[in-house]
Amino acid sequence: MGQANKQHSFLYRNGLGLLFVALFIITLGAQAVTGWHEHNSELEQEQAAAITFLSYLQTGHFISATFENFESEFLQMALYVILTVGLRQQGSAESKSLDEPEEVDREPKPGPDAPWPVRKGGFILKLYENSLSLVFGILFIISWGLHLYGSWVDHNEQQVLLGKAKDSIGDYLLQANFWFETFQNWQSEFLSIASIVILTIFLRQKGSPESKPVDAPNSETGK
């Protein structure tokens, strides 16, 4: 395996991850710049002074918008990882087989090439067996908390501009705005999961590991 890896360049071996990290950084930067201009436009409408870009990065407006999206993505991934353990969808490339045993269900065996938690065993192994869903769950909770904090701060900044009293975070949680922001993102993630689960029953993409072979019958379940 090590020799095979040496036959390919670093970019070839890591192209998918590097591309999406680069796209993330570019689009996050674009979001920050456009959000800064939008926020200053809103301040101008309220006859308030514009703020610098670095100051904008500390505002509730930026924090809320950023982690509102992170939150829904991590929720999607956490649920997808957990629910595909036990649930099936006949004909979907995203489902485990209805009847046949799967490689992902086999019991881990220590070996020289196995990750160190497998070689360690015990409690460490139990954590490692569920580490993907645990980390996505933790990232979701952190992002949800930061979304709430940013949305609350942004709300109170708007309250001050309008000459109104600030709300406590408890009072803000009882208002519709935060939950509107939350559910509009969650529903889009649930739709995207439903789409790939159902559409891979009937549609194909040659060469993609997210698709069944082009000549596979619609009833074939799994990749």
Side-chain angles (χ1 to χ4, degrees), residues 72-82 132-133 136 189 193:
S72 59
E73 298 299 333
F74 291 134
L75 175 64
Q76 178 199 53
M77 291 294 98
L79 287 178
Y80 195 53
V81 168
I82 293 170
L132 188 58
S133 59
F136 276 134
E189 301 305 329
I193 292 177

Side-chain angles (χ1 to χ4, degrees), residues 4-205:
N5 282 340
K6 292 178 181 178
Q7 296 175 1
H8 300 295
S9 69
F10 176 81
L11 285 177
Y12 183 88
R13 287 183 280 117
N14 300 281
L16 190 60
L18 288 171
L19 174 62
F20 277 100
V21 168
L23 288 173
F24 164 72
I25 293 170
I26 291 168
T27 51
L28 181 62
Q31 174 207 320
V33 171
T34 54
W36 172 47
H37 286 291
E38 172 66 18
H39 189 57
N40 275 339
S41 177
E42 293 172 355
L43 291 174
E44 183 181 348
Q45 292 175 18
E46 299 296 335
Q47 286 78 50
I51 60 175
T52 65
F53 179 70
L54 290 179
S55 296
Y56 172 70
L57 296 180
Q58 304 172 51
T59 63
H61 188 276
F62 175 73
I63 295 170
S64 175
T66 301
F67 288 98
E68 176 184 339
N69 288 301
F70 288 8
E71 162 199 327
S72 59
E73 298 299 333
F74 291 134
L75 175 64
Q76 178 199 53
M77 291 294 98
L79 287 178
Y80 195 53
V81 168
I82 293 170
L83 294 178
T84 51
V85 173
L87 298 181
R88 306 288 189 273
Q89 175 58 59
Q90 182 176 358
S92 176
E94 298 300 311
S95 169
K96 292 197 295 186
S97 171
L98 300 181
D99 304 302
E100 298 175 3
E102 297 273 347
E103 279 288 288
V104 292
D105 291 319
R106 75 182 187 210
E107 289 300 317
K109 297 178 180 179
D113 294 326
W116 75 266
V118 178
R119 301 195 302 272
K120 182 74 172 176
F123 178 69
I124 297 296
L125 175 56
K126 287 298 179 185
L127 278 178
Y128 188 65
E129 287 178 339
N130 300 283
S131 57
L132 188 58
S133 59
L134 284 171
V135 169
F136 276 134
I138 291 168
L139 289 171
F140 163 69
I141 292 170
I142 292 171
S143 298
W144 185 88
L146 287 169
H147 169 210
L148 172 59
Y149 169 76
S151 185
W152 171 57
V153 169
D154 186 52
H155 168 78
N156 279 336
E157 289 173 350
Q158 296 298 319
Q159 291 288 93
V160 171
L161 287 174
L162 296 172
K164 298 180 181 179
K166 293 183 178 181
D167 289 318
S168 69
I169 198 165
D171 289 335
Y172 182 62
L173 271 171
L174 298 176
Q175 299 176 25
N177 183 64
F178 172 72
W179 298 108
F180 171 71
E181 294 174 351
T182 297
F183 292 133
Q184 70 174 338
N185 279 275
W186 288 12
Q187 54 87 13
S188 66
E189 301 305 329
F190 298 150
L191 176 62
S192 68
I193 292 177
S195 297
I196 195 168
V197 167
I198 295 171
L199 291 178
T200 55
I201 298 174
F202 311 104
L203 305 180
R204 309 287 187 270
Q205 179 58 59

